[in-house]
Amino acid sequence: MPLPRLGDSTGTVMKNLTSRLAAALAAGLIVLAFAPVLAGDAPGKVYGQGLSGGETVAISQLLAHPDKWIGKTVRVEGTITGVCEKRGCWITIASDKEFEDLRIKVDDGAIVFPAEAKGRYAVAEGVFTKIEMSLEQTRRYKQHHAEEHGEEFDPASVTEPMVFYQIKGTGAVIRD
Amino acid sequence: MASDDGRRRGLPWRRWNNILHRDLGYFCVALTIIYAISGIAVNHVHQWNPNYRFERVTRHFEAIPVSDRETMVAALVGALGLPGPPRRSFRPSPEQVLLFYDGWNVEAHATEGRAIIERPRDRWLLRDMNFLHLNHGKGLWTWFADAYAAALLLLAITGMLVLRGGQGLAGRGKWFVLAGTVVPLLFLLFQRYL
């Protein structure tokens, strides 16, 4: 059978090809549209791997005895007090104790937390980690923090390297 | 005769190539535009926020003394004329109070009498484009994006073979292909290996 000429819109092969492309597109869109239904009825929006069902540890406990928890997978929950503005690559969760919060850091792009999550309630899981900065890193970190908050900063005021703790996040559920 | 036969034998694959190139091109138009615009937007993430613009208004009020959180929150709601109590609140330090409302929040420094009211707004259309381009949705979109990438690969290959002769790959086309290959190689050479 001779092939239809290029541009011959009445050609049978062309019709079939176009129809198949349209059908594939339509099927894909239908599947995508129903994906949330197929994914199940989670209480809140699930990010990353979600939650594995482990026990929740109070943030105050983690920060009071950090060495006990380093390297362990933990689950924490509380109000989201901050969100990475540009990449959504971290959130901070309020501790059960005043003036404390804990950062949940995720790999860029692995999970993207939306800016509007601030003030919502999160349950997050990951590995509790100790971060030891050099003096230079500490100065850069504090300078960046001061710039973000419109505060003055003198690098000479930083004389000690910073040590802080965070969770390398693998999953979270955020709800109202 | 031999030459005619050869041309007849050579026609089908190029016709198929051109049909594939043309229709894949049509199919990929929307996503290519989305990926291109989003690509430029996220390339400059250090200079701007490609997803949101933050409306921030600084307000001043009469300083509020440090006390317990509930008292300070109630005092700030009154001092700033906020529309009722917040959904949640947090104190990062004794003097600072964060008040969270639906879609906006207040960061107040009680003893300095200064507050920043912040409201993130989506960048119209761009956030949706970034959502697709950066595969924030994961799941089935990953497969669709893979299929799109495969389609782009086919577009590139079939694109080189659309024309023949002086305008085709054997003619001027090869120089453009060469130039397009050399440019990224030069960047690699100077930025990574030298």
Side-chain angles (χ1 to χ4, degrees), chain B residues 43-91:
Chain B
N43 262 354
H44 298 274
V45 72
H46 295 294
Q47 285 130 7
W48 80 319
N49 190 318
N51 289 313
Y52 305 98
R53 57 187 173 84
F54 287 86
E55 291 177 1
R56 290 193 174 98
V57 178
T58 303
R59 299 266 304 273
H60 295 276
F61 54 91
E62 199 169 322
I64 288 166
V66 172
S67 60
D68 64 277
R69 181 159 56 114
E70 286 72 22
T71 306
M72 290 178 80
V73 166
L76 283 166
V77 168
L80 288 163
L82 300 172
R87 289 168 50 178
R88 291 192 180 91
S89 60
F90 173 67
R91 279 205 300 177

Side-chain angles (χ1 to χ4, degrees), chain B residues 25-43:
Chain B
Y26 288 142
F27 185 75
C28 290
V29 163
L31 211 49
T32 303
I33 291 170
I34 288 170
Y35 275 46
I37 292 173
S38 170
I40 294 168
V42 298
N43 262 354

Side-chain angles (χ1 to χ4, degrees), chain A residues 14 85 98 116 119 176, chain B residues 22 49 56 88 91 127:
Chain A
M14 283 307 306
E85 284 187 5
E98 275 216 299
E116 55 268 24
D176 285 339
Chain B
R22 182 192 64 194
N49 190 318
R56 290 193 174 98
R88 291 192 180 91
R91 279 205 300 177
R127 191 180 168 198

